[in-house]
Amino acid sequence: MKLVPLGEKVIVRQLEAETETAGGILLPEASKEKPCQGKVLAVGDGRLLDDGTMAPMQVCEGDRVVFDKYFGCKIELNGEEYLILNESEILAVIG
């Protein structure tokens, strides 16, 4: 089964939580929090404007993006967890 985003939706795979701090301290499972960063796996066609034209997407497949941890819809498909976001919920692209 394949996820295909519609309109201005973006499918993101959230990055895994760090298991060790920069100083070398191992973190227990309970204290790990998933980062608000991910990799764009698929993008929709764009946002429909009032005049009937489509605004092109500003993010592309493969981009690494930053988003707020309370945005999006989490979905699990074939044992993988994905996040479906509106393009407007993406805060930045990491270059």
CSV table of all heavy atoms in Angstrom, one decimal, residues 14-78:
chain,number,residue,atom,x,y,z
A,14,GLN,N,9.4,11.1,10.5
A,14,GLN,CA,10.0,11.8,11.6
A,14,GLN,C,11.3,11.1,11.9
A,14,GLN,O,11.5,9.9,11.9
A,14,GLN,CB,9.1,11.7,12.8
A,14,GLN,CG,9.2,12.9,13.7
A,14,GLN,CD,8.1,13.0,14.8
A,14,GLN,OE1,7.2,12.1,14.7
A,14,GLN,NE2,8.1,13.9,15.6
A,15,LEU,N,12.4,11.9,12.3
A,15,LEU,CA,13.7,11.4,12.6
A,15,LEU,C,13.6,10.7,14.0
A,15,LEU,O,12.7,11.0,14.8
A,15,LEU,CB,14.7,12.5,12.7
A,15,LEU,CG,15.0,13.3,11.4
A,15,LEU,CD1,16.0,14.4,11.6
A,15,LEU,CD2,15.5,12.3,10.3
A,16,GLU,N,14.5,9.8,14.2
A,16,GLU,CA,14.5,9.0,15.4
A,16,GLU,C,15.1,9.9,16.6
A,16,GLU,O,15.9,10.7,16.3
A,16,GLU,CB,15.3,7.7,15.3
A,16,GLU,CG,14.7,6.7,14.3
A,16,GLU,CD,13.3,6.2,14.8
A,16,GLU,OE1,13.2,5.9,16.0
A,16,GLU,OE2,12.4,6.1,14.0
A,17,ALA,N,14.6,9.5,17.8
A,17,ALA,CA,15.1,10.2,19.0
A,17,ALA,C,16.6,9.9,19.2
A,17,ALA,O,17.0,8.7,18.9
A,17,ALA,CB,14.3,9.9,20.2
A,18,GLU,N,17.4,10.8,19.7
A,18,GLU,CA,18.8,10.5,20.0
A,18,GLU,C,18.8,9.6,21.2
A,18,GLU,O,18.1,9.7,22.2
A,18,GLU,CB,19.5,11.8,20.4
A,18,GLU,CG,19.6,12.8,19.2
A,18,GLU,CD,20.5,12.3,18.1
A,18,GLU,OE1,21.6,11.7,18.5
A,18,GLU,OE2,20.2,12.5,17.0
A,19,THR,N,19.8,8.7,21.2
A,19,THR,CA,20.0,7.7,22.3
A,19,THR,C,21.1,8.1,23.2
A,19,THR,O,21.3,7.5,24.2
A,19,THR,CB,20.3,6.3,21.7
A,19,THR,OG1,21.4,6.4,20.9
A,19,THR,CG2,19.1,5.8,20.9
A,20,GLU,N,21.9,9.1,22.8
A,20,GLU,CA,23.1,9.6,23.5
A,20,GLU,C,23.2,11.1,23.4
A,20,GLU,O,23.0,11.6,22.3
A,20,GLU,CB,24.3,8.9,23.0
A,20,GLU,CG,25.6,9.1,23.8
A,20,GLU,CD,26.7,8.2,23.2
A,20,GLU,OE1,26.5,7.1,22.8
A,20,GLU,OE2,27.8,8.7,23.3
A,21,THR,N,23.6,11.7,24.5
A,21,THR,CA,23.8,13.2,24.4
A,21,THR,C,25.1,13.5,23.8
A,21,THR,O,26.0,12.6,23.6
A,21,THR,CB,23.7,13.8,25.9
A,21,THR,OG1,24.8,13.3,26.6
A,21,THR,CG2,22.4,13.5,26.6
A,22,ALA,N,25.4,14.8,23.5
A,22,ALA,CA,26.7,15.2,23.0
A,22,ALA,C,27.8,14.9,23.9
A,22,ALA,O,28.9,14.6,23.5
A,22,ALA,CB,26.6,16.7,22.7
A,23,GLY,N,27.5,14.8,25.2
A,23,GLY,CA,28.6,14.5,26.2
A,23,GLY,C,28.8,13.0,26.4
A,23,GLY,O,29.6,12.6,27.2
A,24,GLY,N,28.0,12.2,25.7
A,24,GLY,CA,28.2,10.8,25.8
A,24,GLY,C,27.3,10.1,26.8
A,24,GLY,O,27.5,8.9,27.1
A,25,ILE,N,26.3,10.8,27.4
A,25,ILE,CA,25.4,10.2,28.4
A,25,ILE,C,24.3,9.4,27.6
A,25,ILE,O,23.7,10.0,26.7
A,25,ILE,CB,24.8,11.2,29.3
A,25,ILE,CG1,25.9,12.0,30.1
A,25,ILE,CG2,23.8,10.6,30.2
A,25,ILE,CD1,25.5,13.2,30.8
A,26,LEU,N,24.1,8.2,28.0
A,26,LEU,CA,23.1,7.4,27.4
A,26,LEU,C,21.7,7.8,28.0
A,26,LEU,O,21.6,7.9,29.2
A,26,LEU,CB,23.3,5.9,27.6
A,26,LEU,CG,24.5,5.3,26.8
A,26,LEU,CD1,24.7,3.8,27.2
A,26,LEU,CD2,24.4,5.5,25.4
A,27,LEU,N,20.7,8.0,27.1
A,27,LEU,CA,19.4,8.4,27.6
A,27,LEU,C,18.5,7.1,27.7
A,27,LEU,O,18.5,6.3,26.9
A,27,LEU,CB,18.8,9.3,26.6
A,27,LEU,CG,19.5,10.6,26.3
A,27,LEU,CD1,18.9,11.4,25.2
A,27,LEU,CD2,19.5,11.5,27.6
A,28,PRO,N,17.7,7.1,28.8
A,28,PRO,CA,16.8,6.0,29.0
A,28,PRO,C,15.6,6.2,28.0
A,28,PRO,O,15.3,7.3,27.6
A,28,PRO,CB,16.3,6.1,30.4
A,28,PRO,CG,16.6,7.5,30.8
A,28,PRO,CD,17.8,8.0,30.0
A,29,GLU,N,15.0,5.1,27.7
A,29,GLU,CA,13.9,5.1,26.7
A,29,GLU,C,12.8,6.1,27.1
A,29,GLU,O,12.2,6.7,26.2
A,29,GLU,CB,13.3,3.7,26.6
A,29,GLU,CG,12.4,3.5,25.4
A,29,GLU,CD,13.1,3.5,24.1
A,29,GLU,OE1,14.3,3.1,24.0
A,29,GLU,OE2,12.5,4.0,23.1
A,30,ALA,N,12.5,6.2,28.4
A,30,ALA,CA,11.4,7.1,28.8
A,30,ALA,C,11.6,8.5,28.6
A,30,ALA,O,10.7,9.3,28.4
A,30,ALA,CB,11.1,6.8,30.3
A,31,SER,N,12.9,8.9,28.6
A,31,SER,CA,13.2,10.4,28.4
A,31,SER,C,13.4,10.8,27.0
A,31,SER,O,13.6,11.9,26.7
A,31,SER,CB,14.5,10.7,29.2
A,31,SER,OG,15.6,10.1,28.6
A,32,LYS,N,13.4,9.8,26.1
A,32,LYS,CA,13.5,10.1,24.6
A,32,LYS,C,12.3,10.8,24.1
A,32,LYS,O,11.2,10.3,24.3
A,32,LYS,CB,13.9,8.9,23.8
A,32,LYS,CG,15.2,8.3,24.2
A,32,LYS,CD,15.4,7.0,23.4
A,32,LYS,CE,16.6,6.2,23.9
A,32,LYS,NZ,16.7,5.0,23.2
A,33,GLU,N,12.5,11.9,23.4
A,33,GLU,CA,11.4,12.6,22.7
A,33,GLU,C,11.7,12.7,21.3
A,33,GLU,O,12.8,13.1,20.9
A,33,GLU,CB,11.2,14.0,23.3
A,33,GLU,CG,10.0,14.7,22.8
A,33,GLU,CD,9.7,16.0,23.5
A,33,GLU,OE1,9.8,16.0,24.7
A,33,GLU,OE2,9.4,16.9,22.8
A,34,LYS,N,10.8,12.4,20.4
A,34,LYS,CA,11.1,12.4,19.0
A,34,LYS,C,11.4,13.9,18.6
A,34,LYS,O,10.6,14.8,19.0
A,34,LYS,CB,10.0,11.9,18.1
A,34,LYS,CG,9.9,10.4,18.1
A,34,LYS,CD,9.1,9.9,17.0
A,34,LYS,CE,9.2,8.4,16.9
A,34,LYS,NZ,8.6,7.8,15.7
A,35,PRO,N,12.4,14.2,17.8
A,35,PRO,CA,12.7,15.5,17.4
A,35,PRO,C,11.6,16.0,16.4
A,35,PRO,O,10.8,15.3,15.8
A,35,PRO,CB,14.0,15.4,16.7
A,35,PRO,CG,14.1,14.0,16.2
A,35,PRO,CD,13.3,13.2,17.2
A,36,CYS,N,11.5,17.3,16.3
A,36,CYS,CA,10.5,18.0,15.4
A,36,CYS,C,11.1,18.2,14.0
A,36,CYS,O,11.0,19.2,13.4
A,36,CYS,CB,10.1,19.3,16.0
A,36,CYS,SG,9.3,19.1,17.6
A,37,GLN,N,11.8,17.2,13.6
A,37,GLN,CA,12.5,17.2,12.3
A,37,GLN,C,12.1,15.9,11.5
A,37,GLN,O,11.9,14.9,12.2
A,37,GLN,CB,14.0,17.3,12.4
A,37,GLN,CG,14.4,18.6,13.0
A,37,GLN,CD,16.0,18.6,13.0
A,37,GLN,OE1,16.7,17.9,12.4
A,37,GLN,NE2,16.5,19.5,13.8
A,38,GLY,N,12.1,16.0,10.2
A,38,GLY,CA,11.8,14.8,9.5
A,38,GLY,C,12.3,14.9,8.0
A,38,GLY,O,12.7,16.0,7.6
A,39,LYS,N,12.1,13.8,7.3
A,39,LYS,CA,12.5,13.8,5.9
A,39,LYS,C,11.2,13.7,5.1
A,39,LYS,O,10.3,12.9,5.4
A,39,LYS,CB,13.4,12.6,5.6
A,39,LYS,CG,13.8,12.5,4.1
A,39,LYS,CD,14.7,11.4,3.9
A,39,LYS,CE,15.1,11.3,2.4
A,39,LYS,NZ,15.9,10.1,2.1
A,40,VAL,N,11.1,14.6,4.1
A,40,VAL,CA,9.9,14.6,3.2
A,40,VAL,C,9.9,13.4,2.3
A,40,VAL,O,10.9,13.2,1.5
A,40,VAL,CB,9.8,15.9,2.4
A,40,VAL,CG1,8.6,15.9,1.4
A,40,VAL,CG2,9.7,17.1,3.3
A,41,LEU,N,8.9,12.6,2.3
A,41,LEU,CA,8.8,11.4,1.5
A,41,LEU,C,8.0,11.6,0.2
A,41,LEU,O,8.3,11.0,-0.8
A,41,LEU,CB,8.2,10.2,2.3
A,41,LEU,CG,9.0,9.8,3.5
A,41,LEU,CD1,8.3,8.7,4.2
A,41,LEU,CD2,10.4,9.4,3.2
A,42,ALA,N,6.9,12.5,0.3
A,42,ALA,CA,6.1,12.7,-0.8
A,42,ALA,C,5.4,14.1,-0.6
A,42,ALA,O,5.1,14.5,0.5
A,42,ALA,CB,5.0,11.6,-1.0
A,43,VAL,N,5.1,14.7,-1.7
A,43,VAL,CA,4.4,16.0,-1.6
A,43,VAL,C,3.2,16.0,-2.6
A,43,VAL,O,3.2,15.2,-3.6
A,43,VAL,CB,5.3,17.2,-2.0
A,43,VAL,CG1,6.4,17.4,-1.0
A,43,VAL,CG2,5.8,17.1,-3.4
A,44,GLY,N,2.1,16.7,-2.2
A,44,GLY,CA,0.9,16.8,-3.1
A,44,GLY,C,1.2,17.7,-4.3
A,44,GLY,O,2.3,18.2,-4.6
A,45,ASP,N,0.1,18.0,-5.0
A,45,ASP,CA,0.2,18.8,-6.2
A,45,ASP,C,0.3,20.3,-5.9
A,45,ASP,O,0.8,21.0,-6.8
A,45,ASP,CB,-1.1,18.6,-7.1
A,45,ASP,CG,-1.2,17.2,-7.6
A,45,ASP,OD1,-0.2,16.5,-7.8
A,45,ASP,OD2,-2.4,16.7,-7.7
A,46,GLY,N,-0.1,20.8,-4.8
A,46,GLY,CA,0.0,22.2,-4.5
A,46,GLY,C,-1.3,22.7,-3.9
A,46,GLY,O,-2.3,22.0,-3.8
A,47,ARG,N,-1.3,24.0,-3.5
A,47,ARG,CA,-2.5,24.6,-3.0
A,47,ARG,C,-3.3,25.3,-4.1
A,47,ARG,O,-2.8,26.0,-4.9
A,47,ARG,CB,-2.0,25.6,-1.9
A,47,ARG,CG,-3.2,26.3,-1.2
A,47,ARG,CD,-2.7,27.1,0.0
A,47,ARG,NE,-1.5,27.9,-0.3
A,47,ARG,CZ,-1.5,29.2,-0.6
A,47,ARG,NH1,-2.7,29.8,-0.7
A,47,ARG,NH2,-0.4,29.8,-0.9
A,48,LEU,N,-4.6,25.1,-4.0
A,48,LEU,CA,-5.5,25.7,-5.0
A,48,LEU,C,-5.8,27.1,-4.6
A,48,LEU,O,-6.2,27.4,-3.5
A,48,LEU,CB,-6.8,24.9,-5.1
A,48,LEU,CG,-7.8,25.4,-6.1
A,48,LEU,CD1,-7.2,25.2,-7.5
A,48,LEU,CD2,-9.1,24.6,-6.0
A,49,LEU,N,-5.4,28.1,-5.4
A,49,LEU,CA,-5.7,29.5,-5.1
A,49,LEU,C,-7.1,29.9,-5.5
A,49,LEU,O,-7.8,29.2,-6.2
A,49,LEU,CB,-4.6,30.3,-5.9
A,49,LEU,CG,-3.2,30.0,-5.6
A,49,LEU,CD1,-2.3,30.8,-6.5
A,49,LEU,CD2,-2.8,30.3,-4.2
A,50,ASP,N,-7.5,31.1,-5.0
A,50,ASP,CA,-8.8,31.6,-5.3
A,50,ASP,C,-9.1,31.8,-6.8
A,50,ASP,O,-10.3,31.6,-7.2
A,50,ASP,CB,-9.0,32.9,-4.6
A,50,ASP,CG,-9.1,32.8,-3.1
A,50,ASP,OD1,-9.4,31.7,-2.6
A,50,ASP,OD2,-8.8,33.8,-2.4
A,51,ASP,N,-8.1,32.1,-7.6
A,51,ASP,CA,-8.4,32.3,-9.0
A,51,ASP,C,-8.4,30.9,-9.8
A,51,ASP,O,-8.5,30.9,-11.0
A,51,ASP,CB,-7.4,33.2,-9.6
A,51,ASP,CG,-5.9,32.7,-9.6
A,51,ASP,OD1,-5.7,31.6,-9.1
A,51,ASP,OD2,-5.0,33.4,-10.0
A,52,GLY,N,-8.3,29.8,-9.1
A,52,GLY,CA,-8.3,28.5,-9.7
A,52,GLY,C,-7.0,27.9,-10.2
A,52,GLY,O,-6.9,26.8,-10.6
A,53,THR,N,-5.9,28.7,-10.0
A,53,THR,CA,-4.6,28.2,-10.3
A,53,THR,C,-4.0,27.4,-9.1
A,53,THR,O,-4.4,27.6,-8.0
A,53,THR,CB,-3.6,29.3,-10.8
A,53,THR,OG1,-3.5,30.2,-9.7
A,53,THR,CG2,-4.2,30.0,-12.0
A,54,MET,N,-2.9,26.7,-9.4
A,54,MET,CA,-2.3,25.9,-8.3
A,54,MET,C,-1.0,26.6,-7.9
A,54,MET,O,-0.2,27.0,-8.8
A,54,MET,CB,-1.9,24.5,-8.8
A,54,MET,CG,-3.2,23.6,-9.0
A,54,MET,SD,-4.1,23.2,-7.6
A,54,MET,CE,-3.1,21.9,-6.9
A,55,ALA,N,-0.8,26.8,-6.6
A,55,ALA,CA,0.5,27.4,-6.1
A,55,ALA,C,1.5,26.2,-6.0
A,55,ALA,O,1.1,25.2,-5.4
A,55,ALA,CB,0.3,28.1,-4.8
A,56,PRO,N,2.6,26.3,-6.6
A,56,PRO,CA,3.6,25.1,-6.5
A,56,PRO,C,4.1,24.9,-5.0
A,56,PRO,O,4.1,25.9,-4.2
A,56,PRO,CB,4.7,25.6,-7.4
A,56,PRO,CG,4.7,27.0,-7.5
A,56,PRO,CD,3.2,27.4,-7.3
A,57,MET,N,4.4,23.7,-4.7
A,57,MET,CA,4.9,23.4,-3.4
A,57,MET,C,6.3,24.0,-3.2
A,57,MET,O,7.1,24.0,-4.1
A,57,MET,CB,5.0,21.8,-3.2
A,57,MET,CG,3.6,21.2,-3.4
A,57,MET,SD,2.5,21.6,-2.0
A,57,MET,CE,3.1,20.4,-0.8
A,58,GLN,N,6.6,24.4,-2.0
A,58,GLN,CA,7.9,25.0,-1.6
A,58,GLN,C,8.9,23.9,-1.1
A,58,GLN,O,10.0,24.2,-1.0
A,58,GLN,CB,7.7,26.1,-0.6
A,58,GLN,CG,7.0,27.3,-1.1
A,58,GLN,CD,6.9,28.4,-0.1
A,58,GLN,OE1,6.6,28.1,1.1
A,58,GLN,NE2,7.1,29.6,-0.6
A,59,VAL,N,8.4,22.8,-0.8
A,59,VAL,CA,9.2,21.7,-0.3
A,59,VAL,C,9.2,20.6,-1.4
A,59,VAL,O,8.3,20.4,-2.1
A,59,VAL,CB,8.8,21.1,1.1
A,59,VAL,CG1,8.9,22.1,2.2
A,59,VAL,CG2,7.4,20.5,1.0
A,60,CYS,N,10.3,19.8,-1.4
A,60,CYS,CA,10.4,18.7,-2.4
A,60,CYS,C,10.7,17.4,-1.6
A,60,CYS,O,11.1,17.4,-0.5
A,60,CYS,CB,11.6,19.0,-3.3
A,60,CYS,SG,11.5,20.5,-4.2
A,61,GLU,N,10.5,16.3,-2.3
A,61,GLU,CA,10.9,15.0,-1.8
A,61,GLU,C,12.3,15.0,-1.4
A,61,GLU,O,13.2,15.5,-2.2
A,61,GLU,CB,10.6,13.9,-2.8
A,61,GLU,CG,9.1,13.6,-2.9
A,61,GLU,CD,8.8,12.5,-3.9
A,61,GLU,OE1,9.6,11.6,-4.1
A,61,GLU,OE2,7.7,12.6,-4.5
A,62,GLY,N,12.7,14.5,-0.3
A,62,GLY,CA,14.1,14.4,0.2
A,62,GLY,C,14.5,15.5,1.0
A,62,GLY,O,15.6,15.5,1.7
A,63,ASP,N,13.7,16.6,1.1
A,63,ASP,CA,14.1,17.8,2.0
A,63,ASP,C,14.0,17.3,3.5
A,63,ASP,O,13.2,16.5,3.8
A,63,ASP,CB,13.1,18.9,1.8
A,63,ASP,CG,13.4,19.7,0.5
A,63,ASP,OD1,14.4,19.5,-0.1
A,63,ASP,OD2,12.5,20.6,0.2
A,64,ARG,N,14.9,17.9,4.3
A,64,ARG,CA,14.8,17.7,5.7
A,64,ARG,C,14.1,19.0,6.3
A,64,ARG,O,14.6,20.1,6.0
A,64,ARG,CB,16.2,17.6,6.3
A,64,ARG,CG,16.2,17.2,7.7
A,64,ARG,CD,17.6,16.8,8.2
A,64,ARG,NE,17.7,16.7,9.6
A,64,ARG,CZ,18.7,16.5,10.3
A,64,ARG,NH1,19.9,16.4,9.7
A,64,ARG,NH2,18.7,16.4,11.6
A,65,VAL,N,13.0,18.8,7.0
A,65,VAL,CA,12.2,19.9,7.4
A,65,VAL,C,12.1,19.9,8.9
A,65,VAL,O,12.3,18.9,9.6
A,65,VAL,CB,10.8,19.8,6.8
A,65,VAL,CG1,10.9,20.0,5.3
A,65,VAL,CG2,10.1,18.6,7.1
A,66,VAL,N,11.7,21.1,9.4
A,66,VAL,CA,11.4,21.3,10.9
A,66,VAL,C,9.9,21.7,11.0
A,66,VAL,O,9.4,22.5,10.2
A,66,VAL,CB,12.3,22.5,11.4
A,66,VAL,CG1,11.9,22.8,12.8
A,66,VAL,CG2,13.7,22.2,11.2
A,67,PHE,N,9.2,21.1,12.0
A,67,PHE,CA,7.8,21.4,12.2
A,67,PHE,C,7.5,21.4,13.7
A,67,PHE,O,8.4,20.9,14.5
A,67,PHE,CB,7.0,20.4,11.5
A,67,PHE,CG,7.4,18.9,11.8
A,67,PHE,CD1,6.9,18.2,12.8
A,67,PHE,CD2,8.3,18.3,10.9
A,67,PHE,CE1,7.3,16.9,13.1
A,67,PHE,CE2,8.7,17.0,11.2
A,67,PHE,CZ,8.2,16.3,12.3
A,68,ASP,N,6.4,21.9,14.1
A,68,ASP,CA,6.0,22.0,15.5
A,68,ASP,C,5.5,20.6,15.9
A,68,ASP,O,4.9,19.9,15.1
A,68,ASP,CB,4.9,23.0,15.7
A,68,ASP,CG,4.6,23.3,17.1
A,68,ASP,OD1,5.0,22.5,18.0
A,68,ASP,OD2,4.0,24.3,17.4
A,69,LYS,N,5.9,20.1,17.1
A,69,LYS,CA,5.6,18.7,17.5
A,69,LYS,C,4.1,18.5,17.6
A,69,LYS,O,3.6,17.3,17.7
A,69,LYS,CB,6.3,18.4,18.8
A,69,LYS,CG,5.9,19.1,20.0
A,69,LYS,CD,6.7,18.6,21.2
A,69,LYS,CE,6.4,19.4,22.4
A,69,LYS,NZ,7.2,18.8,23.5
A,70,TYR,N,3.2,19.5,17.7
A,70,TYR,CA,1.8,19.3,17.8
A,70,TYR,C,1.0,19.4,16.5
A,70,TYR,O,-0.2,19.3,16.4
A,70,TYR,CB,1.2,20.3,18.8
A,70,TYR,CG,1.8,20.2,20.2
A,70,TYR,CD1,2.7,21.2,20.6
A,70,TYR,CD2,1.6,19.1,20.9
A,70,TYR,CE1,3.3,21.1,21.9
A,70,TYR,CE2,2.2,19.0,22.2
A,70,TYR,CZ,3.0,19.9,22.7
A,70,TYR,OH,3.6,19.8,23.9
A,71,PHE,N,1.7,19.6,15.4
A,71,PHE,CA,1.1,19.7,14.1
A,71,PHE,C,1.1,18.3,13.4
A,71,PHE,O,1.8,17.4,13.8
A,71,PHE,CB,1.9,20.6,13.1
A,71,PHE,CG,1.8,22.0,13.4
A,71,PHE,CD1,2.7,22.9,13.0
A,71,PHE,CD2,0.7,22.5,14.0
A,71,PHE,CE1,2.6,24.3,13.2
A,71,PHE,CE2,0.5,23.9,14.3
A,71,PHE,CZ,1.5,24.8,13.9
A,72,GLY,N,0.2,18.1,12.5
A,72,GLY,CA,0.1,16.9,11.7
A,72,GLY,C,-0.7,15.8,12.2
A,72,GLY,O,-1.2,15.9,13.3
A,73,CYS,N,-0.9,14.8,11.4
A,73,CYS,CA,-1.6,13.6,11.7
A,73,CYS,C,-0.7,12.4,11.6
A,73,CYS,O,-0.1,12.2,10.5
A,73,CYS,CB,-2.8,13.5,10.7
A,73,CYS,SG,-3.7,12.0,10.9
A,74,LYS,N,-0.6,11.7,12.7
A,74,LYS,CA,0.3,10.5,12.7
A,74,LYS,C,-0.5,9.3,12.2
A,74,LYS,O,-1.7,9.1,12.5
A,74,LYS,CB,0.8,10.2,14.1
A,74,LYS,CG,1.8,11.2,14.5
A,74,LYS,CD,2.4,10.8,15.8
A,74,LYS,CE,3.4,11.9,16.2
A,74,LYS,NZ,4.1,11.7,17.5
A,75,ILE,N,0.2,8.5,11.3
A,75,ILE,CA,-0.5,7.3,10.7
A,75,ILE,C,0.6,6.2,10.7
A,75,ILE,O,1.7,6.5,10.4
A,75,ILE,CB,-1.1,7.6,9.3
A,75,ILE,CG1,-1.8,6.4,8.8
A,75,ILE,CG2,0.0,8.1,8.4
A,75,ILE,CD1,-2.6,6.7,7.6
A,76,GLU,N,0.1,5.0,10.9
A,76,GLU,CA,1.0,3.8,10.8
A,76,GLU,C,0.5,3.0,9.6
A,76,GLU,O,-0.7,2.7,9.5
A,76,GLU,CB,1.0,3.0,12.1
A,76,GLU,CG,2.1,2.0,12.1
A,76,GLU,CD,2.2,1.3,13.4
A,76,GLU,OE1,2.2,2.0,14.4
A,76,GLU,OE2,2.4,0.1,13.4
A,77,LEU,N,1.5,2.7,8.7
A,77,LEU,CA,1.1,1.9,7.6
A,77,LEU,C,2.3,0.9,7.3
A,77,LEU,O,3.4,1.3,7.3
A,77,LEU,CB,1.0,2.8,6.3
A,77,LEU,CG,0.6,2.2,5.0
A,77,LEU,CD1,-0.9,1.6,5.2
A,77,LEU,CD2,0.6,3.2,3.9
A,78,ASN,N,1.9,-0.4,7.2
A,78,ASN,CA,2.9,-1.5,7.0
A,78,ASN,C,4.0,-1.4,8.1
A,78,ASN,O,5.2,-1.6,7.8
A,78,ASN,CB,3.5,-1.4,5.6
A,78,ASN,CG,2.5,-1.5,4.5
A,78,ASN,OD1,1.5,-2.2,4.7
A,78,ASN,ND2,2.7,-0.9,3.4
